[in-house]
Amino acid sequence: MQWANALSQLPSLEAALQQVVEEAKAQLQAAQLKNALTQQVQGVGSGSLPGLLTGYLPPQPLRPNLGILFVSAAFASEYVRVLPLLSDLLEVDVLIGCSGGGIVGGGQEIEEGPALSLSLAVLPEVALHPFHLRGDQLPDLDAPPSAWVEQVGVAPQAQPHFLLLADGFSSRISELLQGLDFAYPGAVKVGGLASGGRGPRGNALFLLDARTPTPRCELYREGTVGLALSGNVVLEAVVAQGCRPIGDPLRITEAEGNVILSLEGRPPLAVLQDLFERLSPADRQLARHALFIGLLMDEFKADPTPGDFLIRVILGVDPRVGAIAIGDRVRSGQTVQFHLRDAQTSAEDLRWALSRYCFERNLGRNSASERSSQLSPQPCGALMFACLGRGKGLYGVPNFDSQQFREILGEVPLGGFFCNGEIGPVGGSTFLHGYTSCFGIFRPACWLPSGGGASS
């Protein structure tokens, strides 16, 4: 398995597409050459290296199986030209993509102006199934799993993982995520809401499938474009919600819909006022404009960590009864905790989430030989879905989240975009987030016999 990513900031759509295609293909070819040479050396031993290199012929470049394209809103008037132009430049089996208010690629986060990010991947023994779902054609939430499977077109027995790019105005994304979790439990689902548009039909969703006799080449303005990946591929998610807890976990003792009426037998507003008095002056000031609430996703966890809470906005309060309305449905008996968000907290949470991912998978910043000897294949490529409210506006410096990813995970090709909402799992269920960075990290499920080592 090999990945590559390239970024262009050229103002001409044709020139930008040509640049990212050429650069990404060159990176793939270099990775394939390195992998082939490594296998040759391992086969004959280092003592025969000079003679081997003298007569070595580089392999034919492998056709990429997958492309993922993100296009900035600076090209909004030319979205219709993207796939026709790209088809003339690139031979790829499947490609999906969308528009973005900011674009991630090449180690940079371009939040303004023209930008294109293209990721290409060679995925041996991986089945790719692209699909488009309209929001008004989704099954009811009380429909059986088979109704969702029929819509997607992939059997649960294939154990797929999902990449989802959706239009927030028309996709009914929350219902879609619930349905996919119901039909495909255990499948990882990551992605984001297309951005850059100013209203309905203002965003772009791209889908290309060149494997059919008549290639499918579609620009959608509504719904969700998705990709199911199955076979020798693992998709892992890292979700950094950028908050820290304050006070103690609290039990909801009365609730209706998305309104909390009682916490530990008291009006929530009274509980919040008591907590406010115990905060430091700096946290009091922060709580006036950056106060959130976290829903504990595993009620059996005795000592929850920040990643165990699903962060939701506080929509308002009713001072007459002391109730609090939040951005999700709640129930009596659920555990919640108030949270704060700022730049420092967001940075610390991001590093904690990425470091925990590496620790749990024994991904140290080892040498190439050490990585190749590890039993589990290492990450080959990744996608970043960051909230439009992050970036330079939050941190005061550019490229912050992507640089943190690079510092902790190393030279893993990273593409992505700034979203109107981020899709990722918390506590085993998939949610639409805000103010979050979600990473989808791809690696082989197992080494292939013909491609042992870190590049297979």
Side-chain angles (χ1 to χ4, degrees), residues 59-411:
Q60 285 292 108
L62 296 176
R63 173 189 174 113
N65 306 109
L66 175 62
I68 302 168
L69 179 71
F70 300 112
V71 183
S72 76
F75 295 112
S77 63
E78 299 184 89
Y79 288 155
V80 70
R81 302 177 62 222
V82 169
L83 290 183
L85 289 171
L86 189 62
S87 298
D88 291 337
L89 297 168
L90 175 66
E91 291 185 356
V92 63
D93 294 340
V94 172
L95 180 140
I96 68 169
C98 70
S99 59
I103 303 299
V104 178
Q108 300 182 70
E109 301 169 14
I110 309 303
E111 300 182 54
E112 295 180 355
L116 286 174
S117 174
L118 175 66
S119 295
L120 294 179
V122 175
L123 305 173
E125 297 189 10
V126 176
L128 302 175
H129 177 77
F131 56 89
H132 174 256
L133 301 176
R134 288 177 47 180
D136 58 3
Q137 294 181 344
L138 295 181
D140 294 331
L141 288 179
D142 57 357
S146 59
W148 295 92
V149 171
E150 182 179 354
Q151 285 275 315
V152 173
V154 175
Q157 292 78 6
Q159 298 182 319
H161 298 298
F162 293 92
L163 177 60
L164 303 169
L165 305 174
D167 171 59
F169 295 101
S170 60
S171 60
R172 292 172 55 199
I173 187 63
S174 294
E175 291 93 330
L176 174 59
L177 297 179
Q178 292 181 60
L180 292 180
D181 278 352
F182 185 37
Y184 302 93
V188 174
K189 308 158 191 83
V190 297
L193 299 187
S195 58
R198 298 183 178 180
R201 300 186 62 81
N203 295 312
L205 306 171
F206 305 108
L207 191 157
L208 185 151
D209 189 348
R211 301 168 301 176
T212 57
T214 302
R216 184 180 180 186
C217 188
E218 305 283 358
L219 166 64
Y220 296 104
R221 297 289 191 166
E222 297 177 324
T224 300
V225 161
L227 178 68
L229 304 96
S230 56
N232 188 30
V233 62
V234 173
L235 172 57
E236 296 169 317
V238 175
V239 178
Q241 300 181 87
C243 285
R244 59 180 167 89
I246 55 173
D248 300 316
L250 302 164
R251 184 79 61 179
I252 297 177
T253 45
E254 186 179 358
E256 182 176 339
N258 69 325
V259 178
I260 302 174
L261 299 169
S262 176
L263 285 174
E264 303 289 354
R266 301 179 60 204
L269 187 55
V271 174
L272 186 56
Q273 288 170 338
D274 289 347
L275 172 61
F276 187 84
E277 294 300 321
R278 301 197 302 271
L279 296 177
S280 67
D283 280 353
R284 287 184 191 178
Q285 184 64 29
L286 189 60
R288 296 182 188 277
H289 61 86
L291 179 66
F292 298 81
I293 193 165
L295 314 180
L296 183 61
M297 301 309 297
D298 184 357
E299 294 290 343
F300 297 100
K301 197 149 192 177
D303 187 20
T305 60
D308 297 319
F309 288 91
L310 174 65
I311 305 301
R312 288 297 185 241
V313 297
I314 296 176
L315 299 176
V317 300
D318 184 346
R320 298 172 302 170
V321 296
I324 295 177
I326 71 169
D328 212 331
R329 296 180 65 85
V330 288
R331 53 174 173 76
S332 296
Q334 204 166 359
T335 299
V336 299
Q337 190 168 7
F338 291 105
H339 284 67
L340 294 177
R341 174 182 279 128
D342 61 3
Q344 179 179 345
T345 298
S346 182
E348 292 172 352
D349 182 60
L350 175 64
R351 292 192 64 87
W352 176 85
L354 291 171
S355 298
R356 182 177 71 165
Y357 169 81
C358 291
F359 175 78
E360 290 176 348
R361 291 152 185 84
N362 194 27
L363 299 179
R365 294 296 299 277
N366 305 326
S367 66
S369 60
E370 289 174 324
R371 288 196 301 270
S372 66
S373 66
Q374 292 176 348
L375 295 178
S376 177
Q378 304 301 290
C380 295
L383 298 171
M384 171 178 146
F385 305 97
C387 178
L388 286 164
R390 293 173 74 98
K392 190 174 181 179
L394 175 64
Y395 298 111
V397 295
N399 311 323
F400 188 88
D401 284 3
S402 57
Q403 286 185 356
Q404 296 297 303
F405 178 90
R406 183 176 182 179
E407 286 181 14
I408 296 172
L409 272 85
E411 299 292 335

